[in-house]
C-alpha cells in the first residue's frame, strides 16, 4: 500500500522517480521521509495517545502530600485477620441491609462484652477459598438472609458457588456459628443458612452451637436475633473460656460540628447514588428528582383506607428507562413531627442546620451517611428515625440515662415479656421513647450523636412494581400504592407506613395545589424536599430491574394471580398485550385471579379490567375473590378461586406450558403455591417429588415467577 505524505503524494511514487543507480544516501533519505510521514499520520492512534488515567494525578492530592494513603486491600481473609490481629470474623450476606447491621452489632458486642477483636465482613470482599486457611484458634460467624425462591443475597454468590464446588475436608480447622434471616411464609424458609451449614459440615467444619434462625413472618426477627446473640455470648463465656464484662459504649464513628463548612460543601438530604453503584446492584439506575404527573384515589370509600394511583414523569431524563415488570424505588421523607421530637429531647432545636461531619474511627467500618451534612438532613432524610425501637437498643441506652428515675423506667423494658407488653399497645421509636422518659427539652443532650447514627438504620428506598407498560407509556411510570398502617393493641394506635403516608401527603398537596407542606394521616411532611429539590410535586426515585417479565412471544398463555396491590405488574402486562393485539400480533390466553376485600370498595381498576375483557374478546378471563364480601357465602381468598378453576389452571400449566405469575404477600403466595401443587398431584397422580420437580423445572425456565413481600 502506498504511504501518503502530508504533502499529498505517495512515497512509492517518489521511489519510482529516482534515477537509475541512485545511492544509498538517497534511499536512506527516502526511508527517513517515509518513517516521518508514518509517524505524523499515526499521532494520537499509535503514539501520543491521551492518558485515560491522567485525571488521577489531580485526585486526592493530600494522599501525595503526607495524607493517609489507601492501602491495597487483600482478598485473603487470613491475611486480613493477621493484619488486624482479629480473633473472630463475621461474614454477612445481606440483601436489604438487616444482616449487615446485625453483623456490625455483633462485632461491637464481642469487643465490648468479651474483649474480642472482631471483623464484620462483606462476604464478597474476600476470596471464599481463603476461608480454608483460617486456623482453629480463630472463629467464624456466618449471618445470611434468604430471599425470593430460597436465593442467597447478591453479595453471597461467589461464596455460594465455592461451597458447592469445594471438595475434600478443606475446612477441617474451621470453627463456626451461624444465623439465618428468613420468613416462614415463604416456601424456602431460611434455605440459604441451612445450605451453608450443611456444606460447611460436609467440608469438615465444626459448629460450636446450634444454628439460629429468625422468622419475620410475625415481625420477630429482632427478638430472635437477640435470643441467639445471648446464646452466643453464653457459649463464649462457658465453653470457650472468655470472661464476660459489663459493656461500655465505644464509638466506631466520630460525629462533630464543623462550622467552617459552607452550605455548598454539604449534603442536604438528597439520596446518594450508592444503590446504583454498589456491588450486586448493577440493575439499578441513579436516583433522580421526578415530577408526579397525576394522582387519583382508587378505593371507592377512602375515608378510612386509601389506595392511590400515581404517575411519574420520566421525560426530564432521557437516559432513565424502565421495562414492563420493573420496580420503582421511592425514597421517603421522615415526618416533621418525628424530626422535631428527636431534636427536642436531644436539646438541638436551635442547631438543625449546623454543619456536621461523620468520620470512621475504624478502618473496617464504612460511613454510610453522606457527609458532611446537617442534623436536619441527617434526621429528616438519611436515617430511619421512625423505625420501631428494639429491646437491644433500650439495653444500650441504659448507660446514657441522665437520671436514676429514667434508668429505672428503662431497665424493666430490657425483659422480653415486659418489652412486648410495652410496645404491643404503643408506637415506639427512638424519639418517642426518649420523650416518654421526660418532656423536658435537652435532657438527653449527653447521648452521643455517634450512638444515634450507629443505632438507627440508614434510610432505604421502598420498592413498588410499576403498574404501566413501557410499550404503551415509555416515559411515564405508574405506581399503585395502598396506604399501610400497622394496627396495634392499644386504642386507635397505629404504626404509620413511612413511604405510603408520605405519598398520600404528596397526593393531598397536589389536589390542593400547595406543595410546601401537607398531611398524610395526621403527619406533616416538608414536601419541597432538601434544597427545594422536590418543589412542584416531585419524588426522589430510581428504577430497579426485575426478572418478573412476560414471555417473549405474545401468543404464549399466562396465568396471573394477585391480591391487593399485587395486581400492579399485571395491569402492565395486560396493557402490553393489548398493544400487541392492536399491532396485529396473536395474543395468547390470559387468566387473572384477583383477590381483595370487598367488591364495592377495594376492586381497584374495575372499569379498566372490564374494558380489557371486551377488547380481548374471550382470550382474557378475570376471576375475583372477595375475603370480606357482604354475603358470607361468597367470601373467599384467591387460593380458593384457584382451586375452583383447577381444571383450567392445570391444563394451561401442563398441556399448554403456560407461564405462571404470583404477586402479593408472601403468605398469599405460599397458600396459592400449595393449592396448585395439591391440584397437580391429585389430577395427574403425581407424587410430591414429581410435583416439586415440575415446579422447579418451571422456575428454572422462568415459567413460574413470584414477586412477593413479607
Amino acid at each position: 500500500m502506498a504511504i501518503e505524505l502530508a504533502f499529498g503524494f505517495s512515497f512509492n511514487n517518489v521511489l519510482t522517480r529516482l534515477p537509475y543507480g541512485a545511492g544509498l544516501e538517497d534511499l536512506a533519505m527516502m526511508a527517513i521521509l517515509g518513517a516521518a510521514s508514518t509517524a505524523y499520520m499515526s499521532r494520537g492512534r499509535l503514539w501520543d495517545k491521551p492518558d485515560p488515567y491522567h485525571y488521577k494525578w489531580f485526585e486526592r492530592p493530600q494522599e501525595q502530600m503526607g495524607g493517609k494513603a489507601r492501602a491495597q486491600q487483600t482478598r485473603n481473609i487470613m491475611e486480613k485477620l493477621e493484619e488486624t490481629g482479629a480473633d473472630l470474623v463475621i461474614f454477612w450476606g445481606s440483601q436489604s441491609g438487616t444482616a449487615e447491621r446485625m453483623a456490625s452489632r455483633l462485632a461491637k458486642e464481642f469487643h465490648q462484652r468479651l474483649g474480642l477483636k472482631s471483623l464484620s465482613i462483606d462476604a464478597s470482599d474476600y476470596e471464599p477459598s481463603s476461608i480454608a486457611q483460617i486456623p482453629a484458634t480463630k472463629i467464624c460467624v456466618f449471618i445470611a438472609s434468604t430471599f425470593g425462591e430460597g436465593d442467597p443475597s447478591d453479595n453471597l454468590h461467589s461464596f455460594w458457588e465455592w461451597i458447592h464446588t469445594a471438595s475434600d475436608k478443606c475446612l477441617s480447622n474451621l470453627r463456626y456459628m451461624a444465623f439465618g434471616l428468613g420468613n416462614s411464609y415463604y416456601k424456602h424458609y431460611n434455605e440459604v443458612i441451612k445450605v451453608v451449614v450443611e456444606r460447611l459440615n460436609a467440608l469438615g467444619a465444626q459448629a460450636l452451637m446450634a444454628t439460629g434462625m429468625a422468622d419475620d413472618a410475625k415481625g420477630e426477627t429482632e427478638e430472635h436475633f437477640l435470643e441467639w446473640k445471648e446464646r452466643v455470648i453464653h457459649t463464649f463465656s462457658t465453653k470457650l473460656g472468655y470472661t464476660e464484662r459489663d459493656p461500655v459504649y465505644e464509638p466506631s464513628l466520630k460525629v462533630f460540628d464543623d462550622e467552617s463548612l459552607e452550605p455548598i460543601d454539604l449534603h442536604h438530604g438528597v439520596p446518594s447514588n450508592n444503590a446504583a453503584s454498589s456491588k450486586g446492584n448493577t440493575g439499578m439506575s441513579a436516583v433522580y428528582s421526578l415530577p408526579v404527573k397525576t394522582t387519583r384515589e382508587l378505593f371507592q370509600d377512602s375515608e378510612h383506607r386509601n389506595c392511590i394511583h400515581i404517575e411519574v414523569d420520566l421525560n426530564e431524563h432521557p437516559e432513565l428507562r424502565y421495562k414492563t415488570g420493573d420496580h420503582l424505588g421511592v425514597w421517603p421523607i421522615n415526618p416533621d413531627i418525628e424530626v422535631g421530637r428527636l431534636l427536642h429531647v436531644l436539646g438541638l432545636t436551635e442547631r438543625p442546620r449546623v454543619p456536621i461531619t461523620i468520620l470512621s474511627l475504624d478502618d473496617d467500618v464504612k460511613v454510610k451517611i453522606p457527609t458532611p451534612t446537617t442534623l436536619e438532613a441527617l434526621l429528616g432524610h438519611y436515617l430511619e428515625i421512625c423505625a420501631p425501637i428494639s429491646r437491644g437498643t433500650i439495653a444500650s441506652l441504659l448507660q446514657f440515662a441522665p437520671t436514676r428515675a429514667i434508668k429505672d423506667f428503662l431497665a424493666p423494658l430490657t425483659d422480653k415479656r415486659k418489652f412486648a407488653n410495652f410496645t404491643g399497645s404503643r408506637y415506639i421509636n427512638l424519639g418517642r421513647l426518649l420523650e416518654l422518659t421526660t418532656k423536658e427539652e435537652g435532657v438527653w443532650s449527653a447521648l452521643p450523636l455517634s450512638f444515634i447514627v450507629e443505632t438507627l438504620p440508614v434510610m432505604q428506598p421502598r420498592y413498588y412494581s410499576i403498574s404501566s407498560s413501557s410499550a404503551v407509556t415509555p416515559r411515564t411510570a405508574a405506581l399503585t400504592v395502598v396506604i399501610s398502617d400497622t394496627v396495634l393493641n392499644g386504642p386507635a394506635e397505629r404504626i404509620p407506613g413511612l413511604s405510603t403516608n408520605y405519598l398520600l401527603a404528596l397526593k393531598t398537596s397536589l389536589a390542593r395545589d400547595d406543595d410546601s407542606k401537607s398531611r398524610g394521616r395526621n403527619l406533616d411532611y416538608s414536601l419541597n424536599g432538601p434544597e427545594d429539590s422536590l418543589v412542584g410535586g416531585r419524588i426522589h426515585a430510581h428504577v430497579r430491574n426485575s426478572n418478573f417479565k412476560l414471555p417473549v412471544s405474545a401468543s404464549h398463555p399466562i396465568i396471573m394471580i394477585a391480591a391487593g396491590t399485587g395486581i400492579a405488574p399485571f395491569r402492565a402486562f395486560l396493557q402490553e398485550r393489548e398493544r400487541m393485539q392492536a399491532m396485529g400480533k396473536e395474543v395468547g390466553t390470559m387468566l387473572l385471579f384477583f383477590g381483595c376485600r370487598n367488591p364495592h370498595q377495594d376492586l381497584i381498576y374495575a372499569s379498566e379490567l372490564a374494558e380489557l375483557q371486551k377488547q380481548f374478546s374471550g382470550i382474557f378471563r378475570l376471576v375475583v375473590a372477595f375475603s370480606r364480601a357482604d354475603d358470607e357465602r361468597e367470601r373467599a381468598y384467591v387460593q380458593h378461586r384457584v382451586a375452583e378453576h383447577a381444571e383450567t389452571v392445570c391444563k394451561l400449566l401442563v398441556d399448554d406450558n403456560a407461564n405462571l405469575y404470583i404477586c402479593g404477600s408472601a403468605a398469599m403466595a405460599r397458600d396459592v403455591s400449595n393449592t396448585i401443587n395439591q391440584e397437580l398431584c391429585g389430577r395427574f397422580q403425581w407424587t410430591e417429588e414429581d410435583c416439586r420437580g415440575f415446579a422447579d423445572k418451571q422456575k428454572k425456565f422462568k415459567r413460574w415467577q413470584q414477586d412477593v413481600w413479607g
Side-chain angles (χ1 to χ4, degrees):
M1 179 183 292
I3 302 175
E4 299 291 336
L5 296 174
F7 303 104
F9 56 89
S10 73
F11 182 51
N12 281 3
N13 289 338
V14 173
L15 290 177
T16 58
R17 295 175 186 176
L18 286 174
Y20 180 77
L24 292 175
E25 294 86 353
D26 298 317
L27 291 173
M29 181 60 69
M30 292 303 99
I32 292 171
L33 286 172
S37 65
T38 300
Y40 181 87
M41 297 302 293
S42 64
R43 180 176 182 270
R45 289 180 295 169
L46 300 178
W47 69 284
D48 196 32
K49 293 173 67 175
D51 180 3
Y53 301 105
H54 182 63
Y55 69 92
K56 289 289 187 181
W57 287 97
F58 306 99
E59 285 193 349
R60 302 186 180 274
Q62 67 274 17
E63 293 185 0
Q64 309 296 327
M65 301 171 63
K68 182 180 179 181
R70 289 184 176 180
Q72 179 66 38
Q73 175 70 48
T74 178
R75 285 187 55 78
N76 184 302
I77 187 58
M78 188 54 213
E79 291 179 3
K80 182 67 175 179
L81 291 172
E82 290 176 344
E83 288 173 8
T84 58
D87 308 291
L88 183 147
V89 57
I90 307 168
F91 292 102
W92 53 264
S94 185
Q95 196 69 17
S96 64
T98 305
E100 179 183 0
R101 290 193 299 273
M102 288 179 171
S104 297
R105 287 167 55 190
L106 187 60
K108 204 176 248 303
E109 289 217 31
F110 276 140
H111 181 63
Q112 294 176 0
R113 296 174 64 177
L114 298 170
L116 281 165
K117 169 67 175 176
S118 306
L119 300 180
S120 175
I121 297 293
D122 181 336
S124 64
D125 283 343
Y126 293 87
E127 289 293 339
S129 59
S130 66
I131 295 174
Q133 301 176 29
I134 298 176
T137 55
K138 311 285 185 181
I139 295 173
C140 283
V141 178
F142 297 90
I143 300 180
S145 62
T146 298
F147 78 104
E149 292 296 295
D151 300 318
S153 59
D154 292 337
N155 75 310
L156 204 64
H157 281 172
S158 59
F159 173 76
W160 186 258
E161 181 179 350
W162 178 77
I163 62 171
H164 281 85
T165 56
S167 57
D168 302 325
K169 297 292 184 179
C170 61
L171 299 181
S172 57
N173 290 324
L174 186 73
R175 299 189 300 163
Y176 77 93
M177 302 173 177
F179 184 76
L181 289 81
N183 187 315
S184 60
Y185 285 154
Y186 289 78
K187 181 179 179 181
H188 301 281
Y189 167 60
N190 260 312
E191 183 71 13
V192 169
I193 202 64
K194 291 176 183 176
V195 171
V196 167
V197 167
E198 177 186 343
R199 291 301 304 151
L200 290 174
N201 293 341
L203 295 172
Q206 175 194 353
L208 295 174
M209 58 178 285
T211 300
M213 294 186 193
D215 185 0
D216 200 42
K218 296 181 180 179
E220 295 184 324
T221 292
E222 175 67 21
E223 276 300 325
H224 293 164
F225 172 71
L226 291 177
E227 293 169 3
W228 174 78
K229 184 189 68 176
E230 290 307 313
R231 292 199 299 271
V232 169
I233 298 296
H234 180 74
T235 297
F236 270 87
S237 60
T238 60
K239 297 181 180 180
L240 300 177
Y242 290 87
T243 302
E244 186 177 358
R245 59 194 186 189
D246 292 334
V248 177
Y249 173 66
E250 297 178 8
S252 56
L253 299 175
K254 181 180 181 182
V255 184
F256 59 95
D257 292 354
D258 191 349
E259 299 192 37
S260 67
L261 296 169
E262 298 295 329
I264 196 173
D265 300 321
L266 307 176
H267 297 270
H268 293 277
V270 175
S272 69
N273 288 350
N274 291 341
S277 59
S278 62
K279 292 175 294 188
N281 288 324
T282 55
M284 294 190 188
S285 76
V287 179
Y288 297 94
S289 169
L290 301 175
V292 173
K293 293 173 65 174
T294 61
T295 66
R296 70 176 190 269
E297 177 64 48
L298 294 176
F299 283 163
Q300 296 178 43
D301 179 7
S302 59
E303 183 178 353
H304 300 103
R305 297 177 65 239
N306 300 89
C307 184
I308 54 180
H309 177 87
I310 303 172
E311 294 187 1
V312 181
D313 190 352
L314 311 181
N315 280 300
E316 293 180 3
H317 307 281
E319 71 281 9
L320 181 60
R321 297 179 177 89
Y322 78 94
K323 293 183 179 180
T324 304
D326 284 347
H327 303 127
L328 195 73
V330 176
W331 292 81
I333 293 174
N334 286 318
D336 292 348
I337 190 172
E338 298 298 342
V339 176
R341 177 180 281 119
L342 204 45
L343 288 171
H344 177 81
V345 295
L346 295 174
L348 297 170
T349 53
E350 304 299 321
R351 301 175 59 79
R353 293 182 175 85
V354 172
I356 59 172
T357 295
I358 306 171
L359 297 177
S360 175
L361 299 175
D362 187 331
D363 290 339
D364 296 309
V365 175
K366 299 175 183 177
V367 178
K368 298 193 174 182
I369 304 294
T371 183
T373 184
T374 64
L375 281 173
E376 184 176 56
L378 180 71
L379 302 182
H381 302 278
Y382 291 139
L383 292 176
E384 300 248 5
I385 66 171
C386 296
I389 199 164
S390 72
R391 186 164 56 93
T393 298
I394 295 178
S396 299
L397 276 172
L398 287 176
Q399 59 190 299
F400 301 109
T403 67
R404 184 68 200 181
I406 291 176
K407 190 170 186 176
D408 290 342
F409 173 81
L410 293 175
L413 301 181
T414 60
D415 175 77
K416 180 180 179 180
R417 183 179 57 81
K418 293 179 179 178
F419 174 79
N421 291 337
F422 180 72
T423 57
S425 58
R426 298 177 180 85
Y427 167 35
I428 300 294
N429 55 35
L430 179 60
R432 288 169 176 249
L433 178 70
L434 300 183
E435 188 181 66
L436 273 176
T437 65
T438 175
K439 297 288 186 181
E440 187 178 344
E441 182 175 2
V443 171
W444 283 91
S445 59
L447 183 64
L449 280 175
S450 58
F451 177 88
I452 294 173
V453 175
E454 291 171 10
T455 299
L456 294 177
V458 176
M459 182 68 79
Q460 297 290 328
R462 272 56 173 177
Y463 289 100
Y464 301 93
S465 296
I466 297 176
S467 54
S468 56
S469 165
S470 58
V472 180
T473 57
R475 306 310 304 156
T476 299
L479 302 180
T480 307
V481 181
V482 66
I483 312 309
S484 62
D485 294 310
T486 301
V487 181
L488 300 175
N489 297 329
E493 188 75 27
R494 297 170 177 263
I495 300 178
L498 179 64
S499 180
T500 57
N501 278 275
Y502 159 59
L503 292 173
L504 178 62
L506 178 59
K507 174 187 177 295
T508 303
S509 74
L510 292 172
R512 295 176 178 171
D513 196 24
D514 174 18
D515 61 9
S516 61
K517 191 179 289 289
S518 188
R519 299 179 72 82
R521 289 191 177 149
N522 302 317
L523 295 172
D524 290 332
Y525 294 85
S526 299
L527 296 177
N528 282 351
E531 295 188 294
D532 289 339
S533 57
L534 303 178
V535 168
R538 292 170 170 262
I539 58 174
H540 282 124
H542 67 273
V543 171
R544 182 177 72 177
N545 295 347
S546 168
N547 293 322
F548 202 72
K549 302 295 184 187
L550 279 166
V552 174
S553 172
S555 63
H556 198 88
I558 59 174
I559 302 169
M560 301 165 283
I561 304 173
T565 54
I567 198 174
F570 301 143
R571 177 179 185 263
F573 284 8
L574 292 169
Q575 283 185 353
E576 185 145 322
R577 288 220 158 169
E578 181 188 24
R579 174 59 57 89
M580 295 299 104
Q581 186 183 62
M583 294 168 59
K585 294 189 177 182
E586 180 186 354
V587 174
T589 300
M590 294 167 288
L591 177 58
L592 171 61
F593 294 92
F594 180 28
C596 54
R597 293 186 181 183
N598 190 291
H600 310 300
Q601 189 173 357
D602 303 273
L603 188 58
I604 59 178
Y605 300 121
S607 59
E608 286 186 30
L609 293 170
E611 184 62 30
L612 284 168
Q613 289 186 87
K614 294 179 184 178
Q615 302 233 357
F616 283 122
S617 302
I619 60 173
F620 167 50
R621 184 178 181 186
L622 172 66
V623 179
V624 293
F626 303 112
S627 61
R628 301 186 187 181
D630 295 335
D631 188 341
E632 289 188 14
R633 294 170 297 179
E634 297 179 1
R635 292 179 185 177
Y637 289 100
V638 69
Q639 62 267 24
H640 300 143
R641 295 291 184 244
V642 171
E644 291 171 7
H645 294 79
E647 183 176 351
T648 301
V649 171
C650 291
K651 180 182 181 302
L652 284 170
L653 286 175
V654 178
D655 296 342
D656 300 334
N657 210 23
N659 277 32
L660 173 68
Y661 301 91
I662 304 174
C663 187
S665 72
M668 179 275 295
R670 178 198 59 195
D671 292 340
V672 166
S673 296
N674 289 341
T675 298
I676 292 174
N677 288 333
Q678 290 169 9
E679 294 295 338
L680 288 171
C681 288
R683 290 175 182 275
F684 297 104
Q685 286 75 53
W686 289 353
T687 65
E688 288 188 10
E689 186 176 347
D690 293 333
C691 202
R692 185 164 49 250
F694 172 79
D696 289 344
K697 179 183 175 182
Q698 296 298 92
K699 291 171 183 177
K700 178 180 179 181
F701 291 101
K702 307 297 183 185
R703 291 195 293 264
W704 185 322
Q705 297 187 46
Q706 296 186 172
D707 188 356
V708 301
W709 52 88

Coordinates of all heavy atoms in Angstrom, one line a residue, residues 7 129 133 367 427 564:
F7 N 2.2 16.0 2.1 CA 2.2 16.9 1.0 C 1.3 16.5 -0.1 O 1.2 17.1 -1.1 CB 3.7 17.1 0.5 CG 4.6 17.6 1.5 CD1 5.5 16.7 2.1 CD2 4.6 18.9 2.0 CE1 6.4 17.1 3.1 CE2 5.5 19.3 3.0 CZ 6.3 18.5 3.5
S129 N -12.2 -19.2 49.0 CA -11.3 -20.3 49.3 C -10.3 -20.0 50.4 O -9.8 -20.9 51.0 CB -10.5 -20.7 48.0 OG -9.7 -19.6 47.5
Q133 N -7.9 -21.3 55.1 CA -6.6 -21.0 55.8 C -6.8 -20.6 57.2 O -5.9 -20.5 58.0 CB -5.9 -20.0 55.0 CG -5.5 -20.4 53.6 CD -4.9 -19.2 52.8 OE1 -4.2 -18.4 53.4 NE2 -5.1 -19.2 51.5
V367 N -18.7 4.6 56.6 CA -19.7 5.7 56.8 C -20.7 5.6 55.7 O -20.4 5.8 54.6 CB -19.0 7.1 56.9 CG1 -20.1 8.1 57.1 CG2 -18.0 7.1 58.0
Y427 N -46.9 2.8 69.6 CA -45.9 3.0 68.6 C -44.7 3.7 69.2 O -44.7 4.9 69.6 CB -46.5 3.9 67.5 CG -45.5 4.4 66.5 CD1 -44.3 3.6 66.1 CD2 -45.6 5.6 65.8 CE1 -43.4 4.1 65.2 CE2 -44.7 6.1 64.9 CZ -43.6 5.3 64.6 OH -42.7 5.8 63.7
G564 N -54.7 -7.7 46.3 CA -54.4 -6.3 46.7 C -53.6 -5.6 45.6 O -53.9 -5.7 44.4

